[in-house]
Amino acid sequence: MARVVVVHGIGHEWSGSALMGRDVAPALRDGVRQGSGLRLDEEDVACAFYGDVFFEEGTRSLGVPPWDEHDVEEGFEAELLTAWWAAAAGTDPAVTAPDERGTRAFPGAGWLLSQRVRSALDALSGSRFFGTYSDRMMVFALKQVRRYMNEPPVWQEARARVTEEIGPDTRVVVAHSLGSVVAYEALCEHPEWPVTDFVTVGSPLGLSLIFNRLSPLPEEGKGAWPGGIRRWTNLTAPGDVVAVVHELAPRFGGVADESLDNGLKPHSLLRYLTARKTGRAVAEGLM
């Protein structure tokens, strides 16, 4: 079994573990070599794939429904969209903040939910980060996060996919975006795993909307330490809107928070994996 398991985030619904591995494994091997000089073999890296759990069996070819502002649900989805909007406004001068006059962001403004969502989608469509996303893809992303956090069949199957890839030789789990939530909860469920090092990249684990719904639930404002992990490194790029909260140590304690630059693609999984800092963090768990 692989010594390092990578858990992807959203946006890989039409892929698979072997297909993703063609890009993910070489990227991580490059990062480890550049960051530490350690050379990994092909079989040292595996990808835990769960993207298809968001589709009903046999329906992936239908693509993403033509969702728009009318399809975003009140509560979790609307709150997550507003969090992304606020994060984008904090790093991109082209994005108007949601609390500015005329942006229609909050219920107290007297606007319908769909009007507030429309403002958010319009603002994000003009951002550097979400500029290439269509409305339907942004809504699709919101619904994936909400479904993982709220629907047992989804989170159970996603965590099971991680379990399938963990073997007696696995020492490091690297997890990106929503995958960091999946991996964190899987590690908490399995303290008996031989995994010693957890590396999160572009993680939203610090966002209150996510943090307060984690399993196990946080106690007195502190999240549980995952399984038998001895080192947890969290890497975030400036401008990574999905991460929102870039430091996890205040939430979980003991996390080594670091920043790195991914250029014009701050949330890119491959750019995170090829980074020297990521490579060094992975190598520490293998030495």
Side-chain angles (χ1 to χ4, degrees):
M1 300 293 285
R3 299 168 70 197
V4 184
V5 171
V6 179
V7 187
H8 66 83
I10 57 177
H12 301 283
E13 300 78 26
W14 289 274
S15 189
S17 57
L19 185 59
M20 284 203 66
R22 294 194 310 185
D23 293 327
V24 167
L28 182 62
R29 289 165 59 203
D30 281 344
V32 170
R33 182 178 177 183
Q34 294 179 69
S36 70
L38 180 66
R39 296 183 182 225
L40 300 183
D41 296 326
E42 290 184 12
E43 62 269 21
D44 284 329
V45 184
C47 182
F49 175 73
Y50 65 92
D52 60 325
V53 304
F54 297 104
F55 294 96
E56 296 296 330
E57 187 173 356
T59 62
R60 292 200 300 165
S61 62
L62 298 178
V64 180
W67 285 318
D68 59 20
E69 66 270 22
H70 301 288
D71 298 292
V72 174
E73 297 180 11
E74 185 72 86
F76 187 95
E77 292 180 11
E79 291 175 33
L80 180 58
L81 181 63
T82 300
W84 287 349
W85 183 4
T91 60
D92 189 343
V95 179
T96 302
D99 57 354
E100 289 189 25
R101 183 183 298 274
T103 57
R104 305 176 292 187
F106 299 104
W111 296 88
L112 296 174
L113 172 64
S114 61
Q115 293 173 305
R116 291 185 281 118
V117 170
R118 182 70 264 158
S119 283
L121 294 174
D122 287 345
L124 290 174
S125 67
S127 70
R128 290 193 298 262
F129 188 95
F130 284 106
T132 59
Y133 282 63
S134 64
D135 284 358
R136 67 172 64 185
M137 291 307 298
M138 276 194 274
V139 176
F140 187 38
L142 292 170
K143 291 187 178 296
Q144 283 194 18
V145 180
R146 189 262 304 159
R147 291 189 62 198
Y148 176 80
M149 299 306 300
N150 295 327
E151 297 182 15
V154 173
W155 57 253
Q156 288 169 354
E157 181 59 26
R159 292 183 212 170
R161 301 293 182 84
V162 177
T163 301
E164 290 173 2
E165 300 298 335
I166 303 295
D169 297 325
T170 308
R171 295 295 178 267
V172 184
V173 170
V174 182
H176 177 241
S177 193
L178 179 61
S180 68
V181 182
V182 180
Y184 167 83
E185 295 186 328
L187 286 165
C188 287
E189 282 185 339
H190 295 280
E192 78 282 3
W193 281 353
V195 179
T196 61
D197 287 65
F198 188 29
V199 181
T200 49
V201 294
S203 173
L205 277 164
L207 178 63
S208 294
L209 194 62
I210 303 292
F211 179 77
N212 292 329
R213 291 172 168 81
L214 290 175
S215 175
L217 287 171
E219 295 184 3
E220 299 181 354
K222 288 291 184 180
W225 190 257
I229 296 300
R230 66 184 182 188
R231 277 189 298 256
W232 179 353
T233 303
N234 178 59
L235 298 154
T236 313
D240 188 338
V241 171
V242 172
V244 185
V245 178
H246 288 198
E247 294 185 354
L248 299 184
R251 294 288 203 185
F252 298 93
V255 181
D257 290 304
E258 297 189 41
S259 178
L260 57 81
D261 189 353
N262 283 337
L264 296 177
K265 294 184 177 180
H267 194 59
S268 166
L269 170 58
L270 296 186
R271 293 199 181 191
Y272 272 119
L273 294 182
T274 57
R276 291 176 181 269
K277 287 185 177 181
T278 306
R280 281 195 293 271
V282 172
E284 285 181 356
L286 299 176
M287 293 178 176

